[in-house]
């Protein structure tokens, strides 16, 4: 592009349009000196979303195409999240060379493409939620789907029917979904238009391309070791995600160490209507409470994210459920153990995302210190678990890795309270590097050295009032009052004459000046190198620390269950493989928390089995509690199958495979469906999926 609206483009604007052409759909933040600037349509968009001033280039009249808006480069972490939350893709264009070192146009390039599904900034991410990027492949006979949280390294894939993939999308709640651009209408027909999507070329969704991407990334000959080799459509979706990471300049992904199969047969099936009706994660009313709000007493961000997952993926295998219940029971009965774990969990922070930042080279000095603190906190947790009278906790203790060499190296090399940015200096401790210590001595002990020069020269020359000073014109100087100027040695060079004195420089002062001024730059450069060497060595510990993070998250979730049980008087349910649900004096876990002070929830008994009572028909007027009883029963079953104690006097739960509820449907005007039609469609879906171990719960 050479001209725009009859005007010749400046070299910088030509550079902008050339780079913009690579990602025309993204808002480009163009680094210009100390500012990130946006131009043309991008400027209009940015000004509206960010609330910054829209102006025009050259300060001329407002001509279309000359729009400009910008903000200081150090405010990127403030403004970037606002653009991402508004659903914008953002191309960050940085200066690739120091403007001081070139007389030509500064070289620039796109260093990162940030999208809602590929974000690493703490200001963008919600610490209690995963930030999943998903890909959907339309295969022959089935759909493939994959999920990646680049901030944690978690990578999952699966395949199945449209209904199954829709359920997974609802449960994982991805922030962005990739699909074949030729399948846009098909995607919207199957999954609706509520998701933020991005279309890729059809060649990305081919088996050969995808498989090669995965094999190359994991450095393996086949995918059998991950248990996903038979999922052809799932593998294609997973490969598309890796291709997208390349396109968005996210190539440092060493923290993505494995890919797992979403094991459908391990989890209770919950469709989107059930998750919504039971208000598991979000309340239907703005001022309401969800089940997650009631039971989430997690301390760590990893625990908060995992609990959210557990809630929409209840287990249906008796052994792991009872293993969780055993640990909750142990927490409940052993207050000293619980207090020890709780205290240490408060020290750990977001271990999972910190090590992911280390992998991509974006970890800050403070986060490195937090990693050290987390590894120190794991020591007492490991010891407590090893000595606990519980086999599951003993296994946890054995699996925790203290990573002593990394922990000790951080302790030895990094200041205990470093700045957030390496560029600020003061990150590396004294005694780590001899050259750094020498440079610091020069830079920060300068006053002592200059005082010695002053005292020595005063003694040698007899100029008792001699002073050393500094200015920006000629640096360090010796100031001599006029009464002593006859004593000035011939080798001193006069630089300035004042009314009452003269100023001189010496070869020694000039050499020291070069040394002291160069030392500060060298210190920053050397500290950055030493810090980067440490970060590089941290990458070797990624698998161990990811395992630690997962174990800590599990301990945190189960501790949350124990806290909830104690506060709300829950009991341990009996889990078995019978076809009986027998709940005595059950309560709705959310409603009982919302009652006015002093008012108690009226408990209810429920018995369902295949011999005495397969069906219960409950009638009554509005506000009599029909829906509350329905939801209460479903929630107690669900709580039991995620390994949590339940609100009842006693509960025997025969394991269920699926839970369906249909409560309070409303018109779907956009699709031309009345309330009655919505209810009939949902009821039909339930009836078509009913099996021996599927409780059906419908309220009208």
């Amino acid at each position: 592009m050479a001209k725009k609206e009859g005007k010749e483009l400046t070299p910088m604007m030509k550079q902008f349009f050339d780079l913009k052409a690579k990602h025309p759909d993204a808002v480009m933040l163009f680094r210009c000196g100390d500012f990130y600037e946006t131009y043309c349509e991008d400027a209009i968009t940015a000004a509206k979303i960010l609330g910054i001033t829209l102006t025009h280039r050259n300060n001329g009249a407002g001509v279309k195409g000359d729009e400009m808006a910008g903000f200081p480069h150090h405010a990127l972490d403030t403004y970037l999240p606002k653009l991402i939350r508004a659903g914008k893709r953002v191309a960050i264009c940085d200066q690739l060379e120091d403007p001081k070192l070139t007389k030509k146009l500064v070289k620039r390039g796109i260093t990162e493409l940030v999208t809602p599904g590929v974000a690493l900034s703490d200001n963008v991410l919600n610490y209690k939620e995963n930030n999943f990027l998903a890909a959907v492949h339309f295969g022959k006979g089935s759909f493939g789907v994959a999920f990646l949280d680049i901030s944690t390294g978690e990578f999952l894939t699966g395949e199945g029917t449209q209904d199954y993939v829709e359920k997974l999308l609802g449960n994982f709640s991805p922030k962005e979904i990739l699909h074949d651009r030729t399948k846009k209408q098909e995607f919207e027909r199957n999954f609706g238009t509520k998701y933020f999507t991005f279309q890729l070329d059809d060649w990305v969704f081919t088996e050969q391309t995808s498989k090669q991407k995965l094999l190359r990334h994991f450095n393996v000959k086949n995918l059998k070791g991950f248990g996903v080799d038979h999922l052809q459509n799932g593998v294609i979706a997973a490969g598309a995600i890796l291709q997208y990471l390349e396109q968005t300049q996210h190539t440092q992904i060493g923290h993505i160490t494995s890919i797992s199969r979403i094991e459908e047969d391990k989890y209770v099936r919950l469709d989107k209507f059930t998750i919504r009706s039971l208000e598991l994660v979000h309340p239907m009313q703005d001022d309401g409470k969800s089940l997650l709000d009631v039971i989430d007493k997690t301390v760590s961000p990893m625990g908060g994210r995992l609990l959210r997952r557990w809630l929409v993926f209840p287990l249906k295998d008796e052994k792991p459920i009872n293993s969780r219940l055993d640990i909750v029971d142990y927490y409940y009965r052993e207050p000293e153990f619980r207090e020890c774990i709780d205290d240490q969990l408060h020290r750990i922070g977001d271990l999972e995302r910190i090590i992911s930042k280390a992998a991509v080279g974006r970890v800050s000095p403070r986060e490195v210190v937090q990693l050290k603190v987390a590894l120190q906190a794991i020591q007492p947790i490991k010891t407590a678990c090893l000595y606990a009278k519980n086999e599951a906790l003993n296994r946890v203790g054995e699996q925790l890795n203290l990573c002593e060499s990394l922990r000790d190296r951080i302790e030895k090399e990094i200041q205990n309270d470093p700045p957030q940015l390496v560029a600020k200096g003061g990150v590396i401790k004294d005694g780590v590097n001899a050259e750094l210590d020498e440079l610091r001595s020069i830079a920060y002990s300068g006053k002592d050295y200059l005082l010695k020069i002053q005292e020595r020269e005063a003694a040698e020359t007899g100029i008792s009032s001699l002073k050393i000073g500094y200015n920006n014109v000629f640096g360090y100087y010796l100031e001599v009052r006029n009464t002593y100027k006859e004593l000035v040695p011939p080798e001193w060079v006069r630089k300035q004459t004042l009314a009452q004195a003269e100023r001189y420089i010496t070869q020694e002062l000039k050499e020291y000046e070069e040394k002291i001024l160069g030392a500060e730059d060298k210190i920053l450069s050397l500290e950055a190198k030493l810090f980067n060497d440490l970060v590089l060595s941290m990458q070797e510990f990624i698998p161990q620390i990811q395992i630690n993070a997962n174990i800590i998250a599990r301990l945190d979730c189960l501790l949350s269950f124990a806290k909830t049980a104690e506060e709300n008087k829950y009991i341990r349910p009996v889990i078995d493989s019978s076809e009986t649900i027998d709940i005595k004096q059950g309560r709705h876990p959310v409603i009982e928390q919302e009652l006015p002070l002093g008012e108690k929830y009226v408990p209810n008994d429920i018995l369902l089995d295949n011999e005495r009572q397969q069906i219960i028909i409950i009638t009554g007027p509005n506000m009599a509690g029909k829906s509350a009883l329905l939801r209460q029963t479903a929630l107690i079953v669900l709580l039991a199958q995620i390994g949590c104690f339940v609100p009842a006097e006693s509960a025997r739960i025969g394991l269920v495979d699926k839970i369906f509820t249909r409560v309070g449907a409303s018109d779907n005007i956009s699709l031309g469906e009345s309330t009655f039609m919505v209810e009939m469609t949902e009821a039909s879906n339930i009836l078509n999926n009913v099996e021996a171990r599927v409780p059906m719960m419908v309220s009208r």
Side-chain angles (χ1 to χ4, degrees):
M1 182 183 292
K3 293 184 179 181
K4 186 168 181 66
E5 296 190 1
K7 294 190 293 185
E8 191 73 27
L9 289 173
T10 64
M12 190 186 80
M13 288 310 297
K14 184 178 186 307
Q15 185 184 53
F16 165 78
F17 284 114
D18 288 345
L19 290 167
K20 174 71 177 172
K22 295 179 180 180
H23 298 284
D25 58 330
V27 173
M28 181 176 285
L29 301 181
F30 191 77
R31 180 71 181 268
C32 189
D34 290 334
F35 284 80
Y36 277 111
E37 295 183 348
T38 56
Y39 305 114
C40 308
E41 290 297 325
D42 287 352
I44 298 171
T45 301
K48 184 177 180 182
I49 294 171
L50 304 178
I52 56 179
T53 303
L54 180 67
T55 182
H56 291 81
R57 282 179 285 127
N58 305 321
N59 295 319
V63 178
K64 185 169 177 57
D66 281 344
E67 297 88 355
M68 181 177 79
F71 54 82
H73 73 95
H74 57 74
L76 180 64
D77 285 343
T78 301
Y79 290 111
L80 178 60
K82 294 180 180 180
L83 292 169
I84 300 302
R85 290 192 193 106
K88 299 298 178 185
R89 296 160 57 80
V90 181
I92 299 176
C93 177
D94 282 313
Q95 296 175 163
L96 303 180
E97 59 184 352
D98 189 340
K100 297 175 185 175
L101 303 179
T102 181
K103 294 182 180 178
K104 299 179 181 178
L105 178 67
V106 177
K107 186 178 179 183
R108 293 181 175 87
I110 295 170
T111 53
E112 185 181 4
L113 187 64
V114 185
T115 75
V118 187
L120 290 162
S121 169
D122 289 337
N123 292 335
V124 176
L125 301 172
N126 181 336
Y127 77 98
K128 283 277 190 177
E129 289 182 28
N130 281 102
N131 199 82
F132 281 115
L133 168 69
V136 174
H137 171 60
F138 294 77
K140 294 178 180 177
S142 71
F143 292 77
V145 66
F147 300 91
L148 170 72
D149 184 343
I150 194 173
S151 72
T152 65
E154 192 170 8
F155 201 9
L156 304 157
T157 188
E159 66 180 32
T161 62
Q162 178 272 336
D163 187 50
Y164 174 62
V165 170
E166 183 180 32
K167 174 181 111 44
L168 291 180
L169 293 177
N171 289 2
F172 281 99
S173 301
K175 298 295 187 290
E176 182 176 6
I177 301 178
L178 312 173
H179 63 80
D180 183 339
R181 71 173 71 255
T182 64
K183 305 286 185 180
K184 187 173 188 293
Q185 290 184 340
E186 196 173 341
F187 179 90
E188 291 179 354
R189 186 168 63 250
N190 283 284
F191 307 112
T193 57
K194 64 179 180 178
Y195 294 108
F196 181 90
T197 61
F198 187 74
Q199 293 83 46
L200 297 173
D201 293 333
D202 56 1
W203 62 265
V204 174
F205 292 89
T206 58
E207 185 177 9
Q208 185 177 4
T209 301
S210 293
K211 207 163 190 175
Q212 283 178 353
K213 288 279 178 199
L214 291 165
L215 294 177
R216 193 180 306 122
H217 173 72
F218 293 118
N219 195 25
V220 293
K221 292 184 178 179
N222 58 61
L223 299 172
K224 290 181 181 179
F226 300 111
V228 301
D229 57 306
H230 62 292
L231 302 174
Q232 181 182 341
N233 294 319
V235 165
I236 292 173
I241 284 180
L242 291 187
Q243 178 62 39
Y244 187 64
L245 294 185
E246 278 188 28
Q247 289 185 14
T248 55
Q249 310 285 322
H250 292 88
T251 52
Q252 292 179 293
I253 49 175
H255 62 300
I256 304 173
T257 55
S258 67
I259 183 169
S260 305
R261 177 172 68 92
I262 302 169
E263 299 175 274
E264 180 185 8
D265 53 335
K266 280 189 175 183
Y267 305 111
V268 175
R269 177 178 168 181
L270 306 172
D271 63 16
K272 63 182 180 181
F273 303 112
T274 300
I275 292 172
R276 184 188 66 198
S277 295
L278 295 180
E279 300 180 291
L280 298 184
V281 179
H282 301 290
M284 289 188 186
Q285 306 298 326
D286 290 341
D287 58 347
K289 262 190 180 181
S290 67
L291 181 64
L292 182 63
D293 293 329
V294 172
I295 67 170
D296 185 5
K297 301 184 187 302
T298 54
V299 173
S300 70
M302 299 92 68
R305 293 192 290 268
L306 184 63
L307 181 54
R308 195 183 188 92
R309 182 92 53 84
W310 278 8
L311 208 52
V312 293
F313 285 99
L315 301 171
K316 58 181 185 181
D317 187 347
E318 190 176 339
K319 188 175 178 181
I321 294 172
N322 276 316
S323 178
R324 288 183 186 178
L325 288 169
D326 286 344
I327 295 176
V328 176
D329 196 37
Y330 192 81
Y331 273 130
Y332 198 81
R333 291 184 291 103
E334 299 290 339
E336 287 186 13
F337 174 80
R338 182 176 68 196
E339 188 176 335
C340 169
I341 302 298
D342 197 13
D343 287 347
Q344 300 308 322
L345 286 175
H346 277 87
R347 299 178 59 209
I348 284 178
D350 204 336
L351 191 59
E352 198 170 32
R353 281 181 174 164
I354 287 174
I355 197 61
S356 294
K357 285 185 179 181
V360 300
R362 294 189 181 185
V363 68
S364 73
R366 286 183 188 171
E367 287 167 330
V368 170
V369 171
Q370 179 56 52
L371 175 61
K372 175 196 72 176
V373 172
L375 292 174
Q376 290 171 339
I378 288 172
Q379 172 77 69
I381 292 176
K382 181 180 178 73
T383 303
C385 289
L386 285 172
Y387 287 99
K389 295 175 182 177
N390 178 287
E391 288 185 12
L393 286 170
N394 296 155
R395 288 193 295 273
V396 164
E398 291 165 3
Q399 290 173 321
L400 284 170
N401 191 319
L402 300 178
C403 305
E404 291 104 324
S405 60
L406 175 61
R407 181 192 67 194
D408 295 344
R409 183 176 173 185
I410 296 171
E411 173 65 30
K412 177 186 173 185
E413 297 186 10
I414 305 297
Q415 297 282 3
N416 291 330
D417 186 21
Q420 180 70 13
L421 301 174
V422 185
K424 296 285 186 183
V427 172
I428 307 296
K429 284 184 175 179
D430 292 334
V432 173
N433 182 277
E435 184 185 354
L436 180 61
D437 292 345
E438 184 185 352
L439 288 167
R440 281 175 172 167
S441 177
I442 293 169
Y444 306 133
S445 303
K447 287 183 179 179
D448 295 337
Y449 185 83
L450 291 169
L451 187 60
K452 287 176 184 176
I453 294 178
Q454 180 179 306
E455 290 172 349
R456 188 192 72 216
E457 294 293 347
E460 289 180 0
T461 61
I463 305 172
S464 58
S465 64
L466 185 70
K467 289 182 181 178
I468 290 183
Y470 178 86
N471 66 27
N472 292 326
V473 180
F474 46 84
Y476 288 103
Y477 58 81
L478 295 160
E479 185 171 296
V480 181
R481 287 183 185 174
N482 289 339
T483 52
Y484 291 100
K485 66 181 180 181
E486 299 300 328
L487 300 176
V488 172
E491 64 269 20
W492 290 12
V493 179
R494 187 168 60 192
K495 296 298 290 185
Q496 190 176 24
T497 299
L498 305 176
Q500 302 294 325
E502 290 186 338
R503 290 174 176 175
Y504 300 83
I505 63 169
T506 67
Q507 185 63 28
E508 182 183 15
L509 274 179
K510 291 312 292 180
E511 288 175 2
Y512 182 74
E513 182 184 320
E514 288 174 10
K515 223 175 190 183
I516 198 171
L517 295 179
E520 293 182 2
D521 289 338
K522 287 178 183 175
I523 286 170
L524 294 177
S525 176
L526 188 52
E527 282 206 54
K529 180 185 180 301
L530 292 169
F531 182 75
N532 290 336
D533 288 346
L534 174 60
V535 171
L536 203 61
S537 71
M538 286 168 60
Q539 296 176 6
E540 299 171 20
F541 293 85
I542 288 171
Q544 299 98 304
I545 292 175
Q546 285 179 331
I547 291 169
N548 283 349
N550 183 258
I551 292 170
I552 293 299
R554 289 179 59 235
L555 286 174
D556 196 8
C557 286
L558 297 172
L559 177 58
S560 178
F561 291 166
K563 290 176 181 176
T564 303
E566 185 174 64
E567 287 180 21
N568 301 338
K569 297 181 173 57
Y570 290 4
I571 56 93
R572 176 172 181 164
V574 175
I575 301 293
D576 58 34
S577 56
S578 69
E579 295 180 348
T580 299
I581 294 177
D582 187 2
I583 301 168
K584 295 286 195 300
Q585 297 294 283
R587 313 185 306 275
H588 192 296
V590 180
I591 294 176
E592 73 170 354
Q593 298 299 312
E594 296 286 85
L595 292 174
L597 192 66
E599 188 175 332
K600 290 186 177 180
Y601 187 86
V602 178
N604 300 279
D605 294 350
I606 285 288
L607 174 64
L608 287 167
D609 61 19
N610 277 350
E611 296 175 1
R612 291 165 290 175
Q613 191 163 260
Q614 276 190 314
I615 298 173
I616 299 176
I617 298 176
I618 304 169
T619 63
N622 289 344
M623 299 297 290
K626 301 185 298 296
S627 296
L629 179 61
L630 181 155
R631 287 191 175 106
Q632 166 190 314
T633 306
L635 291 175
I636 288 174
V637 170
L638 186 142
L639 283 171
Q641 292 197 212
I642 66 172
C644 184
F645 284 17
V646 300
E649 280 190 4
S650 69
R652 180 189 177 194
I653 308 296
L655 292 171
V656 306
D657 293 334
K658 303 172 185 174
I659 298 175
F660 291 100
T661 64
R662 216 281 332 136
V663 183
S666 58
D667 295 344
N668 192 343
I669 301 299
S670 62
L671 295 179
E673 296 177 349
S674 66
T675 301
F676 179 76
M677 186 61 187
V678 171
E679 289 177 346
M680 290 302 99
T681 301
E682 293 178 12
S684 173
N685 178 45
I686 293 172
L687 290 169
N688 286 328
N689 284 279
V690 165
E691 297 169 8
R693 294 187 175 276
V694 182
M696 177 179 75
M697 304 178 184
V698 181
S699 173
R700 181 71 178 98

